[in-house]
Every structure is written in structure tokens, then in C-alpha cells.
């Protein structure tokens, strides 16, 4: 799901084309999506093809999100709570969202936090589409009016927010009781998004994170990460491309993903990233710097994405039917206290 989200952030219009079918711009094809569960939801909510296309035409690319294990803990805990309470709601634990993620181990130096919920998700791609398309009654589509898109499209906006730099996605880890009527799954999903900063004694800084994956493209022939293709334990090194000095390093995790915080790295320098033993050429990147204001000025370096596909892939994803509506919560730190 993280790879799908980052594909969306890098090319919003291209992601819409991956999820739905138009016969011409803004006009539904006979089959609205190649995925049955997505097509079912679009039909159920009466989602307008023209409005969807128009909304996506205004989206611009955002830097990638990096995986954060503490956010994964808080998101999983909350998905489990929705199962236990048999509800899809943002305040079941009576905690603020920032307190919830801090309880999961995320630091207190947060800048922005956000939460997406979906308690009747059919699959990862169905969940992804629900948040990206943001289907819903659009102020009344199920009653015969509206455009079948939530207004505002807050889940989509959250996933595209350049203010967010990290994410944890939690599927429930406890069984769903057969008596549940709201949190029915088969997957209950929580997404926790956030960004954080550090203080170096002079400046408030939000460092860039280098993220991506190392995978062997052998399950599907699509030049894209598929679960089961990730290569674990691959060394990722980052060098100053001019001096050749090693400035950061890390390893791919059990899913083949990696996240390396580029502490102290700055703009105006070309960096080189290598996935050792992958046999693939090194990549180069530069950092983008900007200043955001949260009561004080914070120097923000945008995240960077580099993935290494070791070989090409074949096949397709099998998913199922159901509509279901996702929920969203967002909070921004406007001042430090």
C-alpha cells in the first residue's frame, strides 16, 4: 500500500488511470474499473466520471512518504479498537490524534498528523482506491443527487499533502467477530500520517528521508513492487557524489523497503545512492529545501524516492466486492508550546 500511495503522490493523474476506466476523458467506459470491488463502489455511490477527472486535473505531485514503524503500531492498535468497538469513528479512545500516535512511540516533535479509516475494506487496492477516489454520497448521491465523491475529498487531500512525510498503515491483528455490523472487514484499516522536526540549537529542521524498495520483479510483469518480491537485507549507501564520502546508509527490511533519514544533508549538493549487490546502476538526487511556519520557522527538506527493481515481472491482482465509506481526521501544529 505504501508503494501504491507513493505512486499516487508522484503521478496523481496516472494513478487515476490505473484505478478506473474512461472511454474518453471524464466519461466512464462500460466497465468502470478492472477491479470488481472498485467498480461496485463507483456504481453504488454514483460517482461522476467528469467531476472525478476534473478534480484530478488540479492535483500536483507531492514528495514520497516514508514508512514509520511507530505510526504502524498506533494505526494497528486503532484498527484493533475499531474491531472491538464495532465502529468506524475517529475518537473511540477519547484521545487526541497526536496523543494516539505518541502512545504508539512517535516523537512529541510532530508538525502535522492525520488519520484515514476504513472498516469494510476488501483488499489493499480497494482500500487505496477508496481513499484516492474518495467515493461517498457527495452530499446525496445515494439519494439521487450529488456526484458520488466526498466533499471535500479529505482522504485524498491527506494522502496528497506535501506537509506529511511519514506513514504507518495498520490492518487489524485480531479476529473480526461474526456479530460485527460496522467494522466488518474483511480488513479494517487505519492510516496514520505525520511529520516531525528536530532542533539543533539554532534551527528547527525537518530532515529529508530517502525511501523506496529493492525488489526482484518476478511475480508480476509490471515493473512495479508486488508483495513477495522484496529483497531483505540489501545495503543502501548514500554518498556525496562529488567527494565520494559516505554520508548515510541503511538496509532493506523484510518487505524490501527502506527508509534512511538524511540528517544534516542539505540542498545544493548532488548525492549518489547505491543498492549494493543489486547489480543496478547508482542513482543521483538533490534535496529540495523550503521554510514552513508553525509559530516558528521550520527548515523542511522534502523526502526522496529511489527504488531498485532487480528483474522484470507477470499476472494480476484478485480482489472482491463491497462499497463502504472511509473516514478521515487531520491536525496541524500551528505553534509550538
Amino acid at each position: 500500500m505504501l508503494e501504491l500511495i507513493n505512486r499516487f503522490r508522484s503521478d496523481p493523474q496516472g494513478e487515476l488511470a490505473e484505478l478506473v476506466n474512461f472511454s474518453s476523458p471524464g466519461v466512464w467506459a462500460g466497465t468502470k474499473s478492472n477491479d470488481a470491488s472498485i467498480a461496485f463502489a463507483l456504481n453504488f455511490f454514483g460517482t461522476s466520471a467528469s467531476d472525478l477527472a476534473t478534480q484530478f486535473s488540479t492535483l500536483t505531485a507531492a514528495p514520497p512518504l516514508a514508512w514509520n514503524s511507530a505510526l504502524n503500531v498506533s494505526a494497528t492498535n486503532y484498527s484493533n479498537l475499531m474491531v472491538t468497538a464495532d465502529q468506524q469513528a475517529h475518537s473511540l479512545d477519547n484521545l487526541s490524534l497526536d496523543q494516539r500516535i505518541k502512545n504508539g512511540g512517535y516523537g512529541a516533535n510532530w508538525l502535522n498528523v492525520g488519520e484515514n479509516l476504513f472498516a469494510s475494506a476488501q483488499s489493499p487496492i480497494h482500500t487505496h482506491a477508496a481513499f484516492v477516489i474518495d467515493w461517498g454520497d457527495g452530499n446525496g448521491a445515494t439519494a439521487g443527487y450529488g456526484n458520488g465523491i466526498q466533499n471535500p475529498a479529505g482522504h485524498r487531500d491527506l494522502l496528497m499533502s506535501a506537509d506529511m512525510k511519514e506513514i504507518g498503515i495498520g490492518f487489524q491483528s485480531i479476529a473480526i467477530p461474526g456479530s460485527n455490523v460496522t467494522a466488518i472487514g474483511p480488513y479494517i484499516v487505519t492510516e496514520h500520517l505525520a511529520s516531525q522536526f528536530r532542533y539543533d540549537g539554532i534551527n528547527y529542521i525537518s530532515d529529508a528521508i530517502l525511501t523506496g524498495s529493492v525488489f526482484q520483479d518476478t511475480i508480476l510483469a509490471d515493473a512495479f513492487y508486488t508483495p513477495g518480491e522484496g529483497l531483505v537485507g540489501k545495503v543502501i549507501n548514500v554518498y556525496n557524489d562529488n567527494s565520494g564520502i559516505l554520508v548515510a546508509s541503511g538496509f532493506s527490511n523484510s518487505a524490501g523497503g527502506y527508509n534512511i533519514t538524511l540528517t544534516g544533508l542539505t540542498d545544493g549538493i548532488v548525492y549518489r545512492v547505491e543498492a549494493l549487490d543489486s547489480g543496478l546502476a547508482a542513482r543521483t538526487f538533490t534535496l529540495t529545501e523550503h521554510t514552513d511556519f508553525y509559530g516558528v520557522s521550520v527548515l523542511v527538506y522534502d523526502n526522496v524516492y529511489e527504488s531498485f527493481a532487480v528483474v522484470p515481472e507477470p499476472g494480476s491482482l484478485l480482489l472482491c466486492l463491497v462499497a463502504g465509506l472511509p473516514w478521515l481526521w487531520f491536525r496541524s501544529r500551528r505553534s509550538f508550546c
Side-chain angles (χ1 to χ4, degrees), residues 208-221:
I209 303 170
L210 173 66
T211 188
S213 58
V214 186
F215 64 99
Q216 191 165 355
D217 199 12
T218 52
I219 295 177
L220 294 176

Side-chain angles (χ1 to χ4, degrees), residues 77-250:
N77 288 344
Y78 201 77
S79 289
N80 289 338
L81 179 59
M82 285 196 288
V83 173
T84 302
D86 189 21
Q87 294 184 55
Q88 178 175 286
H90 287 287
S91 301
L92 296 175
D93 52 8
N94 296 313
L95 297 177
S96 64
L97 182 51
D98 54 295
Q99 186 59 56
R100 187 176 301 155
I101 68 169
K102 285 189 285 186
N103 286 354
Y106 199 73
N109 290 346
W110 60 273
L111 295 171
N112 300 284
V113 292
E115 179 180 81
N116 283 337
L117 307 176
F118 195 12
S120 56
Q122 299 300 293
S123 64
I125 193 69
H126 177 247
T127 307
H128 176 64
F131 294 140
V132 167
I133 296 169
D134 224 348
W135 55 59
D137 65 8
N139 295 326
T142 52
Y145 55 92
N147 65 0
I149 304 168
Q150 294 199 51
N151 182 19
H155 305 90
R156 182 198 306 156
D157 293 342
L158 179 58
L159 286 184
M160 283 302 300
S161 173
D163 293 331
M164 298 297 178
K165 300 181 72 172
E166 298 179 281
I167 188 171
I169 305 169
F171 293 82
Q172 84 281 0
S173 59
I174 59 175
I176 302 171
S179 58
N180 273 19
V181 296
T182 300
I184 58 173
Y187 301 104
I188 283 90
V189 184
T190 302
E191 295 179 341
H192 280 167
L193 294 88
S195 57
Q196 56 188 321
F197 69 93
R198 63 182 174 89
Y199 182 60
D200 68 356
I202 301 174
N203 298 308
Y204 294 95
I205 303 167
S206 181
D207 292 301
I209 303 170
L210 173 66
T211 188
S213 58
V214 186
F215 64 99
Q216 191 165 355
D217 199 12
T218 52
I219 295 177
L220 294 176
D222 60 356
F224 185 72
Y225 176 92
T226 299
E229 294 179 340
L231 298 176
V232 62
K234 294 299 180 182
V235 178
I236 310 295
N237 283 343
V238 182
Y239 303 87
N240 181 311
D241 194 46
N242 183 51
S243 68
I245 295 173
L246 179 68
V247 294
S249 64

